[in-house]
Amino acid sequence: MRGFPDRFSFARLPSGTKMLIIMSAAMLPLGLIALLTSLDMARSASAERRAAAQTAAALYVSQIEARINRGLDAVRMPAASAQDASFLCAVLARQALATPSRPPIALFDEAGRKICQSHGTPIQQVAASHPMVDHVWLDAQRKTFRLTAARDDGTLLAEADVPIEDVRRDVAGDVGIRPTSVTLRQGDAEVEMFGGASHMVDSAPLIISLPVSDGRLALVAEFAPASTGARTLLLVLLPLLMWAAAAFAGWYIINRLLLSPLAQIKRSIETWEGSRGAFPLPRITTPSHEIRDLAESFASVTARIQKHEAELEEGLARQTRLTREVHHRVKNNLQVVSSLINLHARGAEGDVAAAYGAIQRRVDALAVVHRNHYAELEENRGLAMRALAGELAASLRGSAPAAAAGMPIALNMADLYVTQDVAVPAAFLITEVVELMMHCNPHGSILISLEPTEAAYRAMLKIETFGMEPGAIASYPAIVRFERVVTGIARQFRAPLVEDRDAGRFEIEIAAYR
């Protein structure tokens, strides 16, 4: 599980995704503030709608109470009068003739018997006993309001019927917000005054209940809830849409101005990398002139680099030709020197001829090293010790003294390479030791071996002879000169030369590699 955070870490995301996340996080507080503001505005609009509904319901209550109060005043007048019933009946009849729109009023005695009625549909007593106070009765079946008023002594009861339709005409009007329904209730009785506009909504309606006529009735007004249509939804979602649009716009601008042009340049670099042609400048359409300047600068730099590389390659080729010419001339010069020594040696005798032979063997050793170095120059791997020793052994057998003519020289060389600084002293050391053994053991054989050691980049060079008589090296006349020469050669290897003169063995550790 330790690899989980690294695999899905923020640093491994694409730059465009990082930019989108950063911009979204940076703008999220503003989006939340705007969203909370929109929600608060929606709540304020809902509260304002409820207040308007309360006002509309209160207006309905006031209009209904005004109509009921006019009816109550009509029945209170005969109940409050001290005149007898016959006089009051005559007055009610005259009022009915003068004002036909007045509600019909009936008078009852204390026993509940109807005394008279002004006009209209016959009115039956609503209560079994005469109430002692003014009252309003809701007759749901007859769709009327029964208004009653009684004298204090209970001897006279006045009742009037007010049709609900008359009240509905007085109440219906523009009160601002229209309800879906207005209902009057009294106990179990319930009458719908009228219904407003119908709204198909999913949420619960807004219901306002207010008392009417000092609590004798209750008005229930039902209003449609605040609409959650496209306008309200847009008001709430607009901050989120603005937040998402701003984040996307920022990401698109960054991607359009920066990331996409950089990706084009990257693809062009990958296409051009390793080719010899000119840098293919991509067609960048971004309005950012800095990106275009960067691409043009890169194209200019690559052109200069290619020009410089061409000059370097030309200089290297020229240097290689000069080096080959130098090696060729050195090789030729060494060959000329070797030929001159050979010509002079043919006309000499005795010690002079032996001296010429010794000089020629050393010149040949240097020529062999140079020739092998020139052959390995192209691969630049160094000089192969096996090929160097083989050619050197062949040269030594060819220039051997007469007493050691045909002396066998065997090789046991590992496949190792050395530098020229090691090859030259190694060739001279082999030449000196083999020449010593040709003089001290002319009828024996020689083995030249090279084996790697346990140390890295080190090898043991060993030269030994077989069949040599004990003390032959110690009695060699030029042993002092030999010791001085091989000691100087050993210093170049920075290693001691191990000698076993009685056995005819010489070995030294040299630097070599595979």
Side-chain angles (χ1 to χ4, degrees), residues 153-324:
D153 56 3
T155 57
L156 183 68
L157 176 66
E159 294 188 6
D161 278 347
V162 178
I164 292 177
E165 186 62 31
D166 294 346
V167 178
R168 186 180 290 118
R169 285 195 301 268
D170 293 340
V171 171
D174 187 9
V175 292
I177 180 172
R178 293 289 295 175
T180 58
S181 66
V182 176
T183 305
L184 285 177
R185 295 176 182 175
Q186 187 180 54
D188 295 334
E190 179 178 306
V191 173
E192 184 179 19
M193 294 297 294
F194 54 86
S198 177
H199 297 277
M200 299 298 294
V201 293
D202 297 333
S203 56
L206 175 60
I207 299 176
I208 304 296
S209 180
L210 295 176
V212 181
S213 188
D214 297 331
R216 299 183 183 95
L217 302 170
L219 181 140
V220 179
E222 185 175 309
F223 297 87
S227 176
T228 56
R231 182 179 300 177
T232 304
L233 186 62
L234 180 61
L235 180 64
V236 175
L237 295 182
L238 184 60
L240 295 178
L241 295 176
M242 293 176 60
W243 165 67
F248 177 77
W251 168 82
Y252 178 77
I253 292 173
I254 293 298
N255 189 71
R256 176 73 174 80
L257 295 181
L258 182 62
L259 299 181
S260 180
L262 290 179
Q264 287 182 297
I265 296 176
K266 178 177 177 294
R267 287 192 295 269
S268 298
I269 293 174
E270 292 175 349
T271 303
W272 170 82
E273 188 176 8
S275 63
R276 295 278 182 176
F279 175 71
L281 187 65
R283 183 176 179 272
I284 300 176
T285 58
T286 175
S288 176
H289 63 85
E290 291 85 357
I291 300 296
R292 293 197 298 271
D293 293 344
L294 175 62
E296 293 173 358
S297 298
F298 189 84
S300 177
V301 169
T302 55
R304 289 198 298 269
I305 291 175
Q306 284 187 329
K307 181 180 178 181
H308 183 62
E309 287 181 350
E311 293 175 352
L312 289 178
E313 290 177 356
E314 183 181 354
L316 181 61
R318 187 185 305 111
Q319 185 67 29
T320 302
R321 289 194 299 270
L322 292 175
T323 304
R324 289 175 178 172

